[in-house]
Amino acid sequence: GRMRRNHHTNMVSSDDAAEMKASSPSTSYDVVVVGSGIGGLSCAAMLTLYGYSVAVFESHYELGGAAHGFRVRSKQSGGDFLFD
């Protein structure tokens, strides 16, 4: 079935989702959030609930900041550090 817009869960209809995919990104936003960690995503979500247009920028290929595991190679020891 089709999803309907629900103010409590912020769901969008399939028609709205198709329109969002087809449209190009906005050229201006009310708020820009740098970093997609737990804090950045939480703030972005709350700001959108209050009606602000929000853009989230992340330099990593995966969202979540330190909330996801990642491996960093140490130049000094030559070993890997796993952040989990």
Side-chain angles (χ1 to χ4, degrees):
R2 294 182 56 195
M3 292 190 304
R4 298 277 181 210
R5 185 172 296 278
N6 180 326
H7 296 291
H8 298 290
T9 60
N10 204 27
M11 295 172 64
V12 296
S13 72
S14 57
D15 293 336
D16 289 341
E19 183 179 321
M20 286 181 209
K21 285 182 180 179
S23 65
S24 61
S26 178
T27 57
S28 67
Y29 297 92
D30 297 322
V31 179
V32 173
V33 177
V34 178
S36 67
I38 294 172
L41 291 177
S42 297
C43 289
M46 291 302 299
L47 287 165
T48 59
L49 290 175
Y50 286 106
Y52 292 94
S53 63
V54 179
V56 177
F57 291 90
E58 174 57 56
S59 63
H60 198 267
Y61 62 87
E62 190 171 343
L63 300 177
H68 65 85
F70 56 95
R71 190 177 303 270
V72 176
R73 179 162 297 277
S74 171
K75 293 179 183 177
Q76 294 172 338
S77 69
D80 288 350
F81 291 99
L82 177 62
F83 295 89
D84 195 16

